[in-house]
Amino acid sequence: MSAGSKAIILIILLAGCVYLFGNARVQLWDRDEPRYAECSRQMLQGGDWVVPRLYDKLRFQKPPLIYWCQASAMKLLGSQGDAGAMSARLPSAIFMLATLAMLAILIARQAGIEQAKWTVFVFATSAMTIVAAKSCLTDGVLIFFVTGAQLCFFAIWRGSRSWTVAILLAVALGLGILTKGPFILGILATTGAALGAFHLVGKVLATRRAGRRGFAVVTGDPNDMGAALPLPVGVQPAAFNAFRLVAQIFAMVVILAAIVVPWIILVHHRAPDFLPAMLHEGKMHTLEGKEGHHFPPGYHFVVVWAMFMPWSLLLPLAIGMGIRHRQVPEVRFALAAILGPWLMVEFMGTKLPHYFLPAYPAMAYLVAFAIRQALAGDSRGLESRAFLAGAAIWALAIVGVGAVPWVAGHWFRPLPWDSMVGLTFFTLLVAGCTFALLKSRRFKAAFFSMGVGMAGTIGFASRIFADAPYLRISTHIANTLIHVGAVHPGDVKMVDYKEPSLAFYQGGTIREVEKKSELIYKPVNEWPHWVVITREAWDMVPAATQSKLKVIDSCRGWAYADRGRVLEVMVVEKSGD
């Protein structure tokens, strides 16, 4: 085994440690994580693996594959409390590691072990990749199918007519559709459109140059965006065979249908409203935006600089070098796999940072290509004053990440002092060392510092999320409810506290009151035995009602899924009930 292969194996093993570290103790984050986890648990407990449900309603936002994966992990490792959170997040980590392995194997065969090593290192240590691998959302699972489909598409574009490639593409598309609907089709379609646009632009430019010079177009010019590209070593141009092409397309349609259609038939039979609702939801996400995530085009262009950290520092250089080396087939395809999906997600109504994750393997490939060029001697871009200025800004941003937890000291006590000090010290060390290494032109060491630094930064951040009481309101309140036995249907409701994570940790029987006035002004005999209520809503409860209720616990923290409010949450019990 070569040194490069050993390095890749080590990178993947260490990435697995980062992806799994702290997943049990970090409270399910925001709104979507607990919704996915609770839906998966209900699927496991109810035994209906066809129709996803959340509480008492259909969960039509996504097809079922993500729930199948999470419910299977819960069956093996547990579905309650911290064990349930760990189980729900496990599929994302596994599929992300599988994506790294797939990239390593196929890129090594196509472009060499060094390109594979740096691509895997860059992709594995980018911020969005780590976050997706540690979250129980669709994206950590979907990236495996999208990347596999893109690699098959690349092989077909390069001239492969293999039945194996066609079948694998169909399987990836089918499973991708079962994970996040037709999103995967849009990724491939826009990548293909970008490749077509490159070819067309190249032809137009070549024609204009030829017209000015007075001779015929030379399509073999390697600097021409429309130039004919050489096939990889050992691959010969496939003669056009109409029968083979039709047979492969037919087989792909049959395989895709065999994967997707059975679930469609079953879910339509058991819940006729599910598919129309899912299609309407997809339309709203595409055209209008949902749950406050509607932003104008340009959102992903801005956000990627944070989400692709630490490698966003090299992204302009990588894109520029990619354009200069566009005659290399893998580089041209990577450019298309960035441009096409980027334009697609920019013009979707709903915008979230992880929607652009399918382009991260291509960005990692270009950054790795630029790193290899720099280490081989073409380091002019890294030695310029502009790059060093960007590196200084980058270093300040890393230091800023380490300083963020200290802001919480203005509102909250106690604080996880050891984790905060560790994060601050670590980010100062990473920022200072990386900048010094870049300035002294020790680029290989600097790149190593960047990747390891990002993994370590998220590791320290995970400790803060796990240890900070103000970030664990739901787990604290849920433990209280479990201790007093408020775990049965109808036992407890929550008023003015809108964190879905509470329902997951409590066991899934708590229900949210849509409006505060639905309960707080009612006579006490119409209240459930236990109520989870914010201090703000409690102060609105009439004194006569308060006198018949007893506060048995409270905690104060940051409700990040509820407009980022700082609030106190209480558990109250009806006296003498």
Side-chain angles (χ1 to χ4, degrees):
M1 183 182 294
S2 68
S5 299
K6 293 179 181 178
I8 289 173
I9 292 173
L10 181 60
I11 290 168
I12 294 175
L13 289 175
L14 293 177
C17 294
V18 174
Y19 297 166
L20 295 173
F21 175 74
N23 287 1
R25 294 190 60 234
V26 174
Q27 181 177 296
L28 292 176
W29 182 254
D30 202 39
R31 293 170 289 199
D32 286 336
E33 268 207 298
R35 288 171 180 171
Y36 280 107
E38 177 60 25
C39 184
S40 299
R41 183 169 62 184
Q42 288 185 213
M43 181 174 283
L44 175 64
Q45 294 174 341
D48 184 354
W49 292 65
V50 174
V51 184
R53 300 180 187 276
L54 180 62
Y55 311 131
D56 310 311
K57 299 178 181 179
L58 296 175
R59 172 71 171 163
F60 49 75
Q61 281 77 3
K62 293 293 183 296
L65 185 61
I66 184 64
Y67 308 120
W68 294 345
C69 295
Q70 293 177 0
S72 298
M74 290 178 179
K75 187 173 184 179
L76 293 174
L77 303 177
S79 62
Q80 303 297 324
D82 290 345
M86 180 70 179
S87 300
R89 288 165 169 158
L90 183 60
S92 294
I94 291 174
F95 276 91
M96 191 65 77
L97 293 172
T99 304
L100 296 178
M102 176 171 58
L103 286 169
I105 293 169
L106 297 180
I107 293 176
R109 290 179 180 177
Q110 181 71 27
I113 195 71
E114 281 298 302
Q115 179 67 34
K117 179 183 71 175
W118 282 108
T119 301
V120 169
F121 183 62
V122 171
F123 180 59
T125 57
S126 66
M128 188 72 256
T129 298
I130 300 175
V131 170
K134 295 176 71 66
S135 304
C136 58
L137 306 178
T138 58
D139 305 275
V141 174
L142 180 68
I143 189 64
F144 178 77
F145 302 123
V146 170
T147 304
Q150 289 280 55
L151 290 170
C152 290
F153 183 23
F154 171 78
I156 293 171
W157 177 66
R158 296 295 293 121
S160 173
R161 299 297 178 263
S162 166
W163 274 96
T164 301
V165 171
I167 291 171
L168 289 175
L169 175 58
V171 171
L173 291 176
L175 294 176
I177 290 171
L178 279 183
T179 305
K180 200 172 182 176
F183 187 81
I184 188 173
L185 300 178
I187 296 295
L188 263 68
T190 51
T191 299
L195 287 170
F198 291 168
H199 185 79
L200 180 61
V201 169
K203 289 293 185 182
V204 170
L205 294 177
T207 301
R208 289 181 177 178
R209 288 198 300 268
R212 287 195 299 268
R213 296 172 183 173
F215 51 81
V217 176
V218 181
T219 59
D221 180 1
N223 293 316
D224 177 7
M225 285 293 286
L229 297 175
L231 288 171
V233 176
V235 177
Q236 299 299 322
F240 179 75
N241 186 320
F243 177 79
R244 184 186 184 91
L245 177 63
V246 171
Q248 286 186 339
I249 292 175
F250 178 76
M252 290 174 63
V253 172
V254 170
I255 293 170
L256 196 154
I259 294 172
V260 177
V261 171
W263 173 74
I264 291 177
I265 293 173
L266 287 172
V267 76
H268 178 70
H269 177 72
R270 297 189 187 182
D273 295 336
F274 189 95
L275 293 175
M278 186 173 69
L279 293 174
H280 178 73
E281 180 78 5
K283 179 182 176 182
M284 292 297 99
H285 273 292
T286 302
L287 300 179
E288 298 182 11
K290 298 283 290 184
E291 295 191 321
H293 297 305
H294 178 72
F295 300 96
Y299 169 87
H300 290 284
F301 179 80
V302 174
V303 170
V304 72
W305 302 105
M307 294 295 100
F308 197 55
M309 286 284 276
W311 305 107
S312 48
L313 173 62
L314 301 180
L315 195 54
L317 174 67
I319 296 294
M321 191 167 289
I323 293 173
R324 291 198 302 273
H325 291 269
R326 59 187 179 271
Q327 74 276 14
V328 179
E330 296 84 5
V331 170
R332 185 182 298 198
F333 189 88
L335 288 169
I338 297 169
L339 178 63
W342 171 58
L343 292 175
M344 183 186 85
V345 296
E346 284 289 18
F347 288 96
M348 287 179 60
T350 302
K351 293 182 177 64
L352 288 166
H354 49 77
Y355 285 9
F356 194 41
L357 181 63
Y360 277 47
M363 291 195 296
Y365 189 94
L366 289 186
V367 169
F369 185 83
I371 288 174
R372 289 181 58 223
Q373 295 293 318
L375 296 180
D378 186 6
S379 59
R380 291 168 295 175
L382 300 178
E383 298 170 2
S384 66
R385 290 184 178 179
F387 178 79
L388 285 178
I393 296 172
W394 175 92
L396 290 174
I398 295 295
V399 172
V401 170
V404 166
W406 295 95
V407 178
H410 179 71
W411 293 282
F412 305 113
R413 289 290 191 281
L415 296 172
W417 298 108
D418 57 341
S419 300
M420 292 166 58
V421 170
L423 176 64
T424 301
F425 177 78
F426 186 78
T427 52
L428 283 169
L429 181 65
V430 169
C433 287
T434 303
F435 182 76
L437 290 169
L438 288 172
K439 190 173 182 180
S440 61
R441 303 181 184 180
R442 298 169 61 187
F443 298 123
K444 190 171 184 178
F447 300 147
F448 178 79
S449 173
M450 289 167 66
V452 173
M454 179 52 63
T457 297
I458 293 184
F460 276 106
S462 296
R463 283 198 60 190
I464 292 175
F465 275 86
D467 296 340
Y470 65 87
L471 295 175
R472 295 177 58 84
I473 302 176
S474 289
T475 53
H476 179 97
I477 296 297
N479 289 336
T480 299
L481 294 174
I482 293 170
H483 178 73
V484 300
V487 294
H488 304 291
D491 280 355
V492 58
K493 291 186 178 180
M494 53 182 172
V495 179
D496 197 35
Y497 181 61
K498 300 183 181 297
E499 294 279 355
S501 54
L502 175 57
F504 177 81
Y505 287 102
Q506 178 265 349
T509 63
I510 192 171
R511 293 295 180 266
E512 178 184 329
V513 175
E514 292 294 330
K515 297 180 180 179
K516 291 181 285 188
S517 58
E518 290 181 20
L519 184 63
I520 60 178
Y521 297 125
K522 288 185 177 181
V524 73
N525 65 313
E526 296 186 29
W527 284 51
H529 187 77
W530 289 280
V531 173
V532 175
I533 188 170
T534 64
R535 169 66 68 177
E536 178 183 334
W538 173 253
D539 290 341
M540 298 170 63
V541 176
T545 303
Q546 284 189 6
S547 65
K548 299 177 182 179
L549 299 168
K550 178 174 64 174
V551 178
I552 61 174
D553 195 12
S554 69
C555 67
R556 186 170 178 272
W558 181 40
Y560 40 80
D562 186 12
R563 304 187 305 278
R565 292 195 297 166
V566 175
L567 45 77
E568 181 184 358
V569 181
M570 303 182 297
V571 180
V572 300
E573 181 183 14
K574 288 167 65 172
S575 301
D577 190 359

